[in-house]
Amino acid sequence: MKIILSVFLLFGLLSCQQEKFDFANELAFTTNFEMNELYQGSKGVYGPKNTWLLLFTFNKYCYFYKTPFNKSLGESRVTKRVAGKCSFNDDAIISQTGIKDFKMNLHVQEKIKLSLIIDGKSFNYPLFNHSITRKFTPFNNQLKKSFFDNVYVNGGLEYLKAKTIKSGTLCHGVNTECKDVVKYKCDLCEEGSYEVVDFNCAQGGSKYCGKDKCGTKNQPACPRGYKVLDTKLPSLCFNGSPAGFCSPGLSTFCSDEGILICL
């Protein structure tokens, strides 16, 4: 009886905590809404594939969307900033899985309204604390950044060209202490991104822009799961390391750059 009562009390506590977060209300009265203009529009958010994208931030929260890949459908989640930074690895306050189609638009009239179109169903969120005094859109000005009162929008065609990242570029770097030495920006990779085996971190190793060719000759080894390894070694890059795997006939070696590769 005590066990059953404890379970009910725990469930009630979790329910109360979840009820405290009202997504629509938080957006309605936010004073620091900021969105990634790169993913706004009717074409939808489809790439880079299998990548967590930071779409917008508001108050102390971050809205991420993971793009579909093969049979894996899309997923959205809201996380809380930690030390002012956003991470998709943090616990989700709210989330939605099984998304096939995702679009995001910012409607600018007398008031500003955020629209999320998920699998054909539209969800509209007015931003009551934001308004504009003159009519213009994010794309018809020559500035790299556009301001609608206290709404900040990354905008402009020049911005779009300048912000994409070429293949081969480090887009998320971690060190032996599992601290970010290069802030996550893989959502700007032109051809997706891939993870390499270097340091033993719960959030995974460093990540590079480009097509994932892991496991093939002269390419990074495919990473194994962090919990599968169950080791406390700070570095996973050494010859014969089991932290990555290769195609038949190849073995793992640590390159001069400190990345586990297949040879």
Side-chain angles (χ1 to χ4, degrees):
M1 183 65 182
K2 290 183 178 180
I3 295 176
I4 295 175
L5 181 60
S6 298
V7 170
F8 275 115
L9 288 174
L10 177 60
F11 179 78
L13 178 60
L14 291 174
S15 298
C16 289
Q17 290 176 340
Q18 291 176 346
E19 288 174 1
K20 288 181 180 179
F21 183 79
D22 187 328
F23 181 64
N25 190 67
E26 290 285 347
L27 275 173
F29 297 103
T30 182
T31 57
N32 61 345
F33 178 83
E34 180 180 340
M35 73 178 296
N36 191 334
E37 182 68 19
L38 189 63
Y39 303 108
Q40 182 191 214
S42 59
K43 292 183 179 180
V45 184
Y46 298 110
K49 302 291 186 182
N50 197 36
T51 301
W52 281 106
L53 308 174
L54 177 58
L55 299 187
F56 59 88
T57 60
F58 58 104
N59 296 336
K60 53 187 176 182
Y61 304 106
C62 316
Y63 190 99
F64 285 95
Y65 176 65
K66 187 176 184 180
T67 51
F69 179 68
N70 289 340
K71 295 182 179 180
S72 178
L73 297 179
E75 177 184 350
S76 67
R77 63 170 52 180
V78 174
T79 63
K80 191 174 182 179
R81 299 180 199 247
V82 177
K85 297 181 179 180
C86 293
S87 173
F88 63 87
N89 282 314
D90 292 334
D91 293 337
I93 300 173
I94 58 171
S95 63
Q96 180 177 345
T97 58
I99 300 174
K100 297 179 181 179
D101 183 77
F102 187 100
K103 296 181 178 69
M104 176 179 70
N105 286 300
L106 190 67
H107 298 284
V108 181
Q109 298 174 349
E110 291 183 1
K111 290 289 184 180
I112 297 177
K113 178 178 66 176
L114 173 69
S115 291
L116 303 180
I117 302 94
I118 302 175
D119 291 338
K121 187 175 182 180
S122 183
F123 301 88
N124 298 310
Y125 303 98
L127 308 178
F128 292 128
N129 285 331
H130 306 93
S131 61
I132 59 173
T133 55
R134 54 197 178 103
K135 293 183 178 180
F136 58 90
T137 66
F139 288 106
N140 68 2
N141 65 85
Q142 301 302 313
L143 300 176
K144 288 186 178 180
K145 297 177 181 177
S146 304
F147 290 86
F148 303 122
D149 286 356
N150 52 341
V151 177
Y152 171 68
V153 179
N154 293 328
L157 296 178
E158 184 180 350
Y159 168 85
L160 300 183
K161 294 178 181 178
K163 283 295 182 179
T164 55
I165 305 175
K166 301 293 184 182
S167 295
T169 304
L170 179 67
C171 61
H172 182 214
V174 296
N175 61 16
T176 187
E177 297 177 350
C178 295
K179 295 181 179 179
D180 287 353
V181 292
V182 174
K183 186 178 179 181
Y184 184 89
K185 51 185 177 181
C186 301
D187 52 347
L188 296 175
C189 294
E190 292 182 351
E191 297 184 297
S193 61
Y194 58 89
E195 181 181 318
V196 300
V197 177
D198 48 10
F199 299 111
N200 188 17
C201 301
Q203 71 267 37
S206 299
K207 300 170 185 66
Y208 289 80
C209 291
K211 297 178 180 178
D212 191 357
K213 300 178 182 178
C214 77
T216 57
K217 190 173 183 179
N218 293 318
Q219 295 296 325
C222 300
R224 296 187 190 276
Y226 172 78
K227 292 185 177 180
V228 173
L229 294 172
D230 193 25
T231 178
K232 295 183 179 180
L233 289 174
S235 175
L236 299 175
C237 190
F238 53 88
N239 294 348
S241 171
F245 60 93
C246 304
S247 299
L250 302 178
S251 301
T252 57
F253 290 86
C254 189
S255 70
D256 294 337
E257 291 77 25
I259 295 173
L260 198 66
I261 62 173
C262 296
L263 293 174

